[in-house]
Amino acid sequence: MTRLVLLSWNIHGGIGVDGVLDLTRIADLVGASGAQVVALQEVDRHLRARSRYEDQAGLLAERLGMHLAYAACVDREPGRPGGPRRQYGTALLGTVPLEGASTTLLPCFEGSEQRGLLDATVRVDGRELRVLGTHLQWDREDERVEQARLVLDALDDRPTVLLGDLNTEPGSPTHRLLAERLVDAWAQVDEGPGHTWDNDEPARRIDYVWCGGGVRPVAARVLPSVASDHAALRVEVELPG
């Protein structure tokens, strides 16, 4: 029996609910969670003053001693000649290598922010697991549905997990669509509310780990933190085979 601990967290560019930018708090929670594969959303790379133009993905990977794959959903010209590109997107971190990482851009309606699907493979105890990370549009359910359709189109029969901030609640059209092919880990193993966003009323469950291809969720826990405006979602899964 091979089990794996997963973590999904929208880190809000490292800025906490107290308005403080502090990647150390992010790294501390990720490290303490014991997660072997981590999906992060709202991760800056040399993007803007509010994140000190730092490579947040690279810094977190280095601090945690983890492998990194990054999806630059927003990719802008350098701020100075010869400087690094200014990017914003999602990241995967792993205690094992993230093989064959690639990014597919998702449907983007006029005026919306470009989103992507980050795709990589990990091998644990000789078993292969496909890991998908994403962050869907925040303010349009019809757009999220189109994005979810593309995610489903990318699926095959391999053991797979999908992690991310989907900005949609259980029972929504997006949730129902994904549930046709995948298992909502929280709904499978925990009867609590699972709220990961409580900065507005009412609190909502919008961050997910989904399982497919024989991957079985066995435990799930929400990890609150002042380090971001979202709580982290920790899920333990059992791999098939």
Side-chain angles (χ1 to χ4, degrees):
M1 180 188 303
T2 297
R3 291 191 174 186
L4 193 69
V5 177
L6 311 170
L7 187 79
S8 182
W9 195 11
N10 182 328
I11 66 168
H12 194 227
I15 298 175
V17 292
D18 54 4
V20 175
L21 170 66
D22 188 352
L23 288 184
T24 298
R25 299 190 297 193
I26 303 294
D28 287 347
L29 184 147
V30 172
S33 75
Q36 296 148 284
V37 175
V38 180
L40 302 177
Q41 302 88 47
E42 296 194 18
V43 186
D44 290 359
R45 295 190 101 169
H46 314 291
L47 181 66
R48 48 192 162 186
R50 83 169 198 177
S51 53
R52 303 185 190 129
Y53 298 101
E54 293 179 329
D55 175 2
Q56 294 187 324
L59 287 171
L60 287 169
E62 181 178 13
R63 192 165 297 176
L64 290 160
M66 301 178 84
H67 301 272
L68 169 67
Y70 186 76
C73 301
V74 174
D75 186 21
R76 298 174 180 163
E77 294 294 326
R80 65 181 187 280
R85 297 191 66 82
R86 297 177 297 133
Q87 298 175 328
Y88 170 84
T90 64
L92 293 175
L93 303 175
T95 58
V96 293
L98 297 155
E99 301 175 6
S102 64
T103 301
T104 300
L105 296 181
L106 298 179
C108 183
F109 290 9
E110 184 176 357
S112 293
E113 179 183 290
Q114 181 63 63
R115 310 285 175 157
L117 179 68
L118 182 54
D119 186 343
T121 298
V122 298
R123 300 177 193 274
V124 182
D125 296 340
R127 292 172 170 85
E128 187 176 286
L129 176 68
R130 188 182 186 193
V131 181
L132 304 174
T134 196
H135 182 194
L136 301 188
Q137 179 62 25
W138 71 276
D139 62 346
R140 293 193 61 167
E141 184 68 22
D142 56 345
E143 187 170 1
R144 288 192 290 270
V145 167
E146 292 305 308
Q147 293 168 342
R149 288 190 197 282
L150 192 146
V151 171
L152 292 182
D153 287 345
L155 296 179
D156 51 32
D157 293 332
R158 285 177 287 173
T160 300
V161 289
L162 168 68
L163 305 91
D165 173 4
L166 303 190
N167 277 310
T168 200
E169 295 184 78
S172 70
T174 301
H175 188 276
R176 293 198 305 270
L177 180 63
L178 291 170
E180 292 177 4
R181 297 277 304 277
L182 299 168
V183 172
D184 177 352
W186 183 270
Q188 188 79 2
V189 299
D190 199 298
E191 297 181 358
H195 295 150
T196 55
W197 171 268
D198 61 2
N199 291 289
D200 293 323
E201 293 295 337
R204 295 181 289 158
R205 180 163 79 90
I206 60 174
D207 299 88
Y208 295 86
V209 172
W210 294 82
C211 302
V215 178
R216 187 174 71 89
V218 295
R221 186 156 50 101
V222 171
L223 306 179
S225 173
V226 298
S228 172
D229 60 349
H230 285 244
L233 176 62
R234 180 190 188 274
V235 172
E236 186 175 352
V237 299
E238 185 178 297
L239 304 186

